[in-house]
């Protein structure tokens, strides 16, 4: 991957930082209707359940942590989390 491509990805996520949670939670313009939203949340529940099957650990390194949606989940299984992202705007939301 070239530096240009990486920079484009960073700029993309920088521009979307303030709307990422709306997309994730399917609110506002990202609401896809009851049926599709429910399918999304059902799939998330499967991932969340699998994540919580992990035994507690001392330290977690979360790469591309974004706005912290999954950081919150990781806090339930890790004693200490290092969450990093190339986009400072999402780190601010995460904190």
């Amino acid at each position: 991957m070239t530096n240009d491509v990486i920079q484009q990805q960073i700029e993309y996520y920088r521009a979307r930082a303030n709307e990422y949670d709306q997309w994730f939670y399917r609110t506002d313009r990202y609401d896809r209707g009851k049926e599709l939203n429910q399918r999304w949340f059902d799939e998330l529940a499967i991932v969340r359940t699998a994540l919580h099957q992990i035994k507690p650990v001392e330290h977690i390194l979360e790469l591309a942590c974004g706005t912290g949606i999954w950081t919150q989940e990781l806090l339930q299984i890790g004693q200490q989390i290092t969450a990093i992202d190339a986009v400072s705007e999402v780190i601010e939301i995460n904190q």
Side-chain angles (χ1 to χ4, degrees):
M1 199 176 287
T2 67
N3 284 339
D4 286 343
V5 171
I6 292 170
Q7 192 58 42
Q8 287 173 1
Q9 288 181 324
I10 290 170
E11 292 305 319
Y12 171 81
Y13 285 104
R14 180 168 283 135
R16 291 197 65 222
N18 289 324
E19 65 183 43
Y20 184 80
D21 286 5
Q22 293 172 1
W23 170 82
F24 187 87
Y25 291 113
R26 298 301 194 251
T27 62
D28 300 324
R29 70 184 182 119
Y30 300 101
D31 185 334
R32 299 295 182 245
K34 186 176 180 176
E35 184 179 328
L36 290 177
N37 288 348
Q38 190 58 54
R39 187 182 314 169
W40 168 257
F41 290 116
D42 289 348
E43 290 175 4
L44 285 176
I46 292 167
V47 173
R48 219 176 248 118
T49 298
L51 178 65
H52 290 287
Q53 297 302 311
I54 299 172
K55 294 179 182 175
V57 296
E58 185 175 326
H59 189 255
I60 295 172
L61 173 61
E62 183 183 14
L63 304 175
C65 63
T67 61
I69 293 168
W70 291 104
T71 307
Q72 293 177 38
E73 297 294 328
L74 293 171
L75 284 168
Q76 297 177 40
I77 61 172
Q79 293 177 9
Q80 181 181 1
I81 296 179
T82 301
I84 62 173
D85 201 294
V87 178
S88 60
E89 289 82 354
V90 294
I91 291 290
E92 290 174 17
I93 295 168
N94 192 322
Q95 291 175 337

